[in-house]
Amino acid sequence: MSGRQPPVTATLFDAFFLLAQFDRQLLAIVDLSLQVSLSALLLGTLLGLPLGAWLAMARFPGRAAVVVALNALMGLPSVVVGVVVYLALSRSGPLGSFGLLFSPTAMVIAQTLLVIPLIAAVSRQIVEDAWADYAPEFFLFAISRPQAILLLLADCRFSLIVATLAGLGRAMSEVGAVMIVGGNIDGYTRVMTTAIALETSKGDLALSIALGFVLMSLILSLNALAHGLRVWSARRYG
């Protein structure tokens, strides 16, 4: 029957063939995915690390509630972020005049909002633990809070790199927000996760599997890198 799905072995063969021949469509999707996620990671790191470090050292009424809220935001559903960004960038929204909706920039904004809480929450815990050890010395030498933040970020750099790698994994595996604000436009805003969802619904399982293999390889590589960096820094610096 012509409507019958191809055997699994044939689909897998087609998927690996796409990978082996460096299929142009596949490479374009992977390239856009990396551009969007790495841009979101850069912005999320620049905003999340200082925020986490400041919150680790700050003392003010309601701090505990802020910490709880920040930790809760680590599990923020991506579709909620997508809807919020969509409303902000739509024509009737406050940023509608910029015309950013259904563009890679909108996808970067959505992923950045997902990455910031994760990096900030993890870095807060790391810096807070270090602050507990170094606070007496900082007070002894009259080191200001801004200087202390910079020193602690430098001292905890390897642990913080692990946090940023976790943020990259969060960004790359996200699908809901980028689907809403990017529109999954072929050749313009189609990334790995949205392409996998679309191609699977269309029955093009070969491309879905090939993209899934690339995505899983990247995620596993990030986790292996984070683990290796953690082990190496523990052996070298204790």
Side-chain angles (χ1 to χ4, degrees):
M1 294 177 63
S2 58
R4 189 169 58 185
Q5 292 290 337
V8 175
T9 53
T11 302
L12 291 174
F13 177 82
D14 292 340
F16 283 109
F17 181 74
L18 290 174
L19 293 170
Q21 70 172 359
F22 297 102
D23 181 74
R24 182 174 300 178
Q25 181 185 11
L26 186 146
L27 291 179
I29 294 172
V30 173
D31 179 61
L32 179 61
S33 299
L34 292 174
Q35 288 184 40
V36 170
S37 296
L38 289 174
S39 298
L41 177 67
L42 176 61
L43 294 174
T45 301
L46 292 176
L47 296 173
L49 286 183
L51 174 61
W54 171 80
L55 189 57
M57 301 170 61
R59 294 296 180 267
F60 55 88
R63 177 183 177 277
V66 174
V67 171
V68 171
L70 184 62
N71 291 335
L73 288 175
M74 287 195 296
L76 185 66
S78 61
V79 290
V80 174
V81 174
V83 171
V84 171
V85 176
Y86 180 92
L87 292 175
L89 299 182
S90 63
R91 287 187 177 182
S92 58
L95 303 177
S97 60
F98 292 98
L100 298 176
L101 192 60
F102 303 134
S103 70
T105 302
M107 298 161 68
V108 171
I109 294 173
Q111 287 194 2
T112 300
L113 293 179
L114 288 169
V115 167
I116 288 176
L118 175 61
I119 295 179
V122 176
S123 61
R124 180 205 63 81
Q125 186 62 61
I126 294 172
V127 174
E128 188 169 324
D129 293 340
W131 171 248
D133 295 332
Y134 290 112
E137 298 178 17
F138 288 161
F139 286 128
L140 180 63
F141 291 101
I143 296 177
S144 66
R145 286 294 177 94
Q147 290 175 322
I149 290 176
L150 293 177
L151 289 173
L152 289 174
L153 287 176
D155 184 70
C156 302
R157 59 191 180 278
F158 295 109
S159 297
L160 293 174
I161 289 174
V162 174
T164 60
L165 292 177
L168 180 58
R170 164 78 156 150
M172 292 187 63
S173 59
E174 192 282 320
V175 58
V178 293
M179 181 79 79
I180 294 173
V181 303
N184 200 20
I185 303 171
D186 187 18
Y188 186 53
T189 60
R190 186 164 297 171
V191 293
M192 284 188 284
T193 51
T194 60
I196 290 171
L198 176 65
E199 298 303 326
T200 300
S201 65
K202 289 167 52 180
D204 189 357
L205 298 180
L207 181 57
S208 296
I209 293 173
L211 289 170
F213 180 81
V214 174
L215 181 60
M216 285 301 302
S217 298
L218 290 172
I219 298 298
L220 289 173
S221 299
L222 289 174
N223 280 274
L225 180 60
H227 176 74
L229 184 60
R230 188 183 299 113
V231 172
W232 178 82
S233 61
R235 289 177 178 176
R236 184 175 179 85
Y237 299 100

